[in-house]
Amino acid sequence: MIPQTSTLLRLQPLASSSRNVTAVALRYKSTHRTIQVQLTQDIEGLGQIGSVHSVNPGRMRNDLFPKGLAKYVVKGAPLTMPLPRLAEVSSISSAAPDVDYGKIRSQIVALPSLAIPRRTVRGSVIFGSVTSTDLVQAFQVAHGLNLVAPHAVVTLSDGKVKQLGEYTANIMMKDGEGVDVKFKVVAQQ
């Protein structure tokens, strides 16, 4: 249902008439609709396998879903597709050099706790949110680790963090094994 708004228009009187004419014009607000989808394959210009994106319903219905490129995401439900594994991403592994994921996992575990500063709105509520993308950027800046797909996928247990506190994220490596990392969201000075 598209919401209606009414606008009151006051028309100028014609030269032959001395009365004001009042008319009511109805206008319809257009809303841009998008839906959340999880990609089942890498799509150039949209994203990589396993990532969640907003797309127009028509694109999903007519293009992505029939070709098996994406799945619908239901709000509140866990993601149905597992994170990418080594066997699923074989085309990338042939071009990339061998990576010792066990060594990277041990380096991540040995790192000190990561603190992400955010402005607060009131009390412990932060302005905006902290997402997995923010964590990847924080690891890059603080420790020089580049935790991007296809080698690593960072997920938060709650999806987005909206309050100050201590949280846990999971970093799933390309070989299928993950490591849990604790981080803090602190008030920005």
Side-chain angles (χ1 to χ4, degrees):
M1 171 106 185
I2 300 174
Q4 277 186 347
T5 59
S6 60
T7 305
L8 185 64
L9 299 176
R10 190 166 303 274
L11 303 175
Q12 297 295 328
L14 297 174
S16 63
S17 172
S18 62
R19 301 187 308 175
N20 284 339
V21 178
T22 304
V24 176
L26 291 177
R27 294 178 11 183
Y28 291 92
K29 263 187 187 175
S30 66
T31 56
H32 185 71
R33 296 188 186 118
T34 59
I35 58 173
Q36 297 286 318
V37 299
Q38 184 180 21
L39 301 181
T40 57
Q41 294 180 14
D42 291 343
I43 301 174
E44 187 175 331
L46 187 58
Q48 295 185 343
I49 185 170
S51 60
V52 177
H53 295 280
S54 294
V55 297
N56 291 335
R59 183 175 185 191
M60 179 61 174
R61 178 180 60 246
N62 300 327
D63 184 33
L64 300 176
F65 188 73
K67 295 177 183 175
L69 300 175
K71 293 182 179 184
Y72 288 95
V73 173
V74 180
K75 280 188 178 179
L79 298 177
T80 57
M81 192 179 94
L83 296 174
R85 300 209 183 264
L86 184 60
E88 296 172 347
V89 194
S90 60
S91 63
I92 296 171
S93 64
S94 62
D98 290 335
V99 178
D100 186 6
Y101 293 108
K103 183 178 176 183
I104 295 173
R105 269 192 298 279
S106 62
Q107 288 175 348
I108 292 172
V109 170
L111 292 174
S113 181
L114 189 63
I116 301 175
R118 286 291 187 262
R119 291 186 310 174
T120 58
V121 178
R122 48 191 140 83
S124 65
V125 178
I126 63 173
F127 183 76
S129 63
V130 176
T131 63
S132 58
T133 305
D134 296 323
L135 274 176
V136 169
Q137 290 173 352
F139 270 105
Q140 176 69 32
V141 170
H143 305 297
L145 286 174
N146 196 6
L147 300 174
V148 294
H151 297 291
V153 177
V154 179
T155 56
L156 295 171
S157 56
D158 299 330
K160 292 182 180 179
V161 175
K162 296 190 172 272
Q163 291 188 346
L164 299 177
E166 194 168 318
Y167 298 93
T168 304
N170 183 284
I171 301 173
M172 182 67 69
M173 298 305 219
K174 188 176 177 180
D175 64 355
E177 294 185 31
V179 61
D180 288 335
V181 176
K182 293 192 182 292
F183 67 96
K184 293 179 184 177
V185 179
V186 297
Q188 189 173 19
Q189 303 297 339

